[in-house]
Amino acid sequence: MPTRWPIAQIRRNPANREISVASVLDMVDAIVGFGDIIQPLTLTPPDANGVRTILAGERRWRATAMLSGALGEGALAAALQRSGGLGLPAPLQDGLPVSYTHLTLPTTPYV
């Protein structure tokens, strides 16, 4: 079973492409329907504050963050409306399933 990492200790990768709200809401449906996340996120090692950056899985993180209220009341309301009032599934209350990589983010942008 993968390790779980707290939602608040994960940040998006600024190098990732933008993700549509519609695709995140579709992921809300999948997470609520299944009751957990099937594919773990891939994250960097933690920084000095224990925060990891997403390498793969931003839609999963955003959908879970919406359901948990971590992205604000408006996002929570949208997620609850989409899910028929069902909130964050119990397994995700302990954090998101993650896998780790030894890779770190580049310090300079790609050209």
Side-chain angles (χ1 to χ4, degrees), residues 32-52:
V32 169
F34 186 73
D36 202 350
I37 292 178
I38 299 169
Q39 175 78 32
L41 280 71
T42 302
L43 307 176
T44 62
D47 65 13
N49 297 316
V51 176
R52 296 177 182 268

Side-chain angles (χ1 to χ4, degrees), residues 72-97:
E73 291 299 318
L76 175 61
L80 290 175
Q81 180 179 9
R82 180 67 178 244
S83 69
L86 299 173
L88 190 66
L92 293 171
Q93 293 174 6
D94 293 331
L96 290 131

Side-chain angles (χ1 to χ4, degrees), residues 4 9 31-32 34 38 50 55 58 60 62 65 70 73 75 80 82-83 85 87 90 93 102 107-108 111:
R4 293 192 179 261
Q9 293 295 103
I31 290 169
V32 169
F34 186 73
I38 299 169
L55 296 175
E58 186 167 339
R60 287 166 271 160
R62 281 193 189 191
E73 291 299 318
L80 290 175
R82 180 67 178 244
S83 69
Q93 293 174 6
H102 65 282
T107 55
T108 57
V111 179

